[in-house]
Amino acid sequence: MLDLNQMSVFIRVVQEGSFTGAARTLGIPKSRVSRMITDLEDKLGLRLLERTTREVRPTDVGLQYFEQYKPLFEEIQDIHSRISDVQQEPSGLLRVAAPVGFAIGLMGRWHAEFKQQYPLIDLEVVFTNGGVHLVRDGYDCGFAVGHLEDSSLIARKFDETDPVLCASPDFLRRYGPISSPEQLKEMPWVCVGSRDEHIHRCILVNSASNERIEIKQNASVMVNHHEVAIQHMLAGQGISVASSFFAYEQLIRGELVPILPEWQVEQEPLYLVFPSGRHLAKKVRAYIDFLMEKANQMQNLMDSCAHLPKEQQIAELKSFLEVRE
């Protein structure tokens, strides 16, 4: 017979990466954690964990067991909560993974508003550029850039806005006018990425002829943070591809100016991703719905303000973000 307690302990050990961490989180002795895992392995006739003096990590079959069982365990927990009428609103620890570049004011404001709306949810947002495996590393959801290779994840497209090739007016006075993509190859760039990891590509598509050109970026500055990249651009230190989602305020103020408007930058999709399963915990569903609504509101704001005077656009943006100057 399956023992749900043993399975829940196994999930916690994988998430914490050690028996000690699992014991501390669960509030039980380490010896009991070890015994429950051994009993579970004996019952299944499988080795679920590799144990070393430095870490505990799942075997291949252990990871498969973890990935398939965790959503079911959460569903069982939620069913019990609904039946007993204990959980009237979303609660519990919600762990979110995001690229370092997302650690910007806009996301901070939205997360603060989410926490205010759902006070019973304990929010942990981890910004990292390392490889994150949502299920194995114990995250409930996360953000991903580019085309997804992990078919076990469900993805919701988070950013529908078009990237913008832009620079500061001061930069354009020194290097302009710019009338051809060929000129971009000799100019200094502010690149978003890192020398060892993913660098966002710059592929231009002509809106009239559909001609497609990839520009090799001459990196004068390379950072892995969107807000820092924008500061370098404002200082006139390079041209860059900016997400209008993150640089909207600078664009409508005229602090950054679009370049070659007849050429569209090919978008790298931005997704909000979460593990697949028949059921999502209330806390995860609340987070996804909240963030997607915020993204849709931002998109609608940019669409509706596109033809307004700049002063009115700025006023609408202030009202949306509740900016105080």
Side-chain angles (χ1 to χ4, degrees):
M1 180 180 294
L2 295 177
D3 187 325
L4 294 180
N5 289 327
Q6 290 176 346
M7 294 179 181
S8 65
V9 170
F10 171 71
I11 287 176
R12 186 61 64 182
V13 170
V14 174
Q15 291 176 336
E16 296 293 334
S18 69
F19 290 147
T20 302
R24 181 173 58 250
T25 303
L26 295 169
I28 61 178
K30 178 182 174 182
S31 58
R32 184 181 174 192
V33 170
S34 179
R35 184 171 62 255
M36 292 178 77
I37 295 298
T38 300
D39 289 345
L40 178 61
E41 290 178 323
D42 290 343
K43 187 179 298 181
L44 294 172
L46 298 169
R47 188 171 184 82
L48 299 175
L49 297 172
E50 294 288 355
R51 302 154 172 85
T52 70
T53 56
R54 300 183 61 182
E55 65 175 353
V56 175
R57 57 185 178 84
T59 61
D60 290 342
V61 69
L63 181 58
Q64 181 181 0
Y65 184 78
F66 174 81
E67 291 176 340
Q68 292 181 356
Y69 174 71
K70 183 174 180 287
L72 297 176
F73 180 74
E74 291 178 342
E75 184 172 3
I76 291 171
Q77 286 183 313
D78 192 68
I79 290 173
H80 276 260
S81 296
R82 291 201 306 268
I83 291 176
S84 62
D85 201 30
V86 171
Q87 184 170 301
Q88 296 295 328
E89 60 180 292
S91 64
L93 176 62
L94 177 69
R95 302 188 72 231
V96 181
V100 170
F102 279 36
I104 61 175
L106 179 64
M107 297 300 289
R109 284 191 290 269
W110 286 355
H111 280 118
E113 186 177 338
F114 174 79
K115 174 62 179 175
Q116 187 173 17
Q117 185 169 329
Y118 296 99
L120 297 183
I121 294 179
D122 297 324
L123 185 61
E124 179 183 352
V125 184
V126 178
F127 296 100
T128 175
N129 272 341
V132 172
H133 190 293
L134 287 186
V135 177
R136 181 194 63 210
D137 297 334
Y139 290 102
D140 296 290
C141 56
F143 293 88
V145 179
H147 298 285
L148 300 177
E149 297 179 358
D150 190 344
S151 60
S152 69
L153 298 177
I154 297 176
R156 299 277 300 275
K157 197 168 184 181
F158 183 72
D159 181 7
E160 297 283 353
T161 60
D162 293 325
V164 180
L165 182 67
C166 56
S168 70
D170 179 61
F171 180 91
L172 295 177
R173 280 192 292 269
R174 287 184 286 124
Y175 288 90
I178 301 174
S179 58
S180 168
E182 293 298 321
Q183 295 174 260
L184 304 176
K185 299 177 181 179
E186 306 301 325
M187 295 183 178
W189 282 72
V190 176
C191 296
V192 180
S194 71
R195 299 195 185 277
D196 298 323
E197 297 184 20
H198 176 76
I199 298 174
H200 297 296
R201 300 166 67 192
C202 179
I203 299 176
L204 304 180
V205 181
N206 189 284
S207 56
S209 67
N210 287 326
E211 181 183 0
R212 189 172 181 270
I213 300 175
E214 181 169 2
I215 305 298
K216 182 174 176 58
Q217 302 167 62
N218 177 27
S220 176
V221 176
M222 186 177 296
V223 296
N224 63 349
H225 196 290
H226 292 283
E227 203 161 75
V228 176
I230 289 173
Q231 294 303 314
H232 284 284
M233 293 169 65
L234 294 175
Q237 295 170 356
I239 192 171
S240 189
V241 174
S243 167
S244 52
F245 192 85
F246 294 135
Y248 182 54
E249 184 172 1
Q250 290 78 17
L251 288 165
I252 64 174
R253 288 181 183 274
E255 297 168 346
L256 294 176
V257 180
I259 299 168
L260 299 175
E262 68 276 16
W263 290 84
Q264 185 176 5
V265 181
E266 191 170 88
Q267 186 185 50
E268 289 187 289
L270 170 58
Y271 295 107
L272 181 55
V273 298
F274 48 96
S276 61
R278 292 179 301 166
H279 176 77
L280 275 178
K282 285 185 177 181
K283 60 184 180 181
V284 181
R285 174 60 62 191
Y287 181 82
I288 292 170
D289 290 346
F290 180 90
L291 264 292
M292 291 304 301
E293 177 62 23
K294 284 297 182 182
N296 290 335
Q297 289 176 3
M298 188 69 175
Q299 176 67 55
N300 292 337
L301 173 68
M302 289 189 285
D303 291 343
S304 64
C305 290
H307 303 294
L308 296 178
K310 286 186 177 180
E311 293 77 10
Q312 192 170 347
Q313 290 188 44
I314 294 171
E316 293 289 339
L317 180 67
K318 284 182 178 180
S319 176
F320 176 72
L321 299 178
E322 297 184 347
V323 175
R324 299 289 184 266
E325 292 188 343

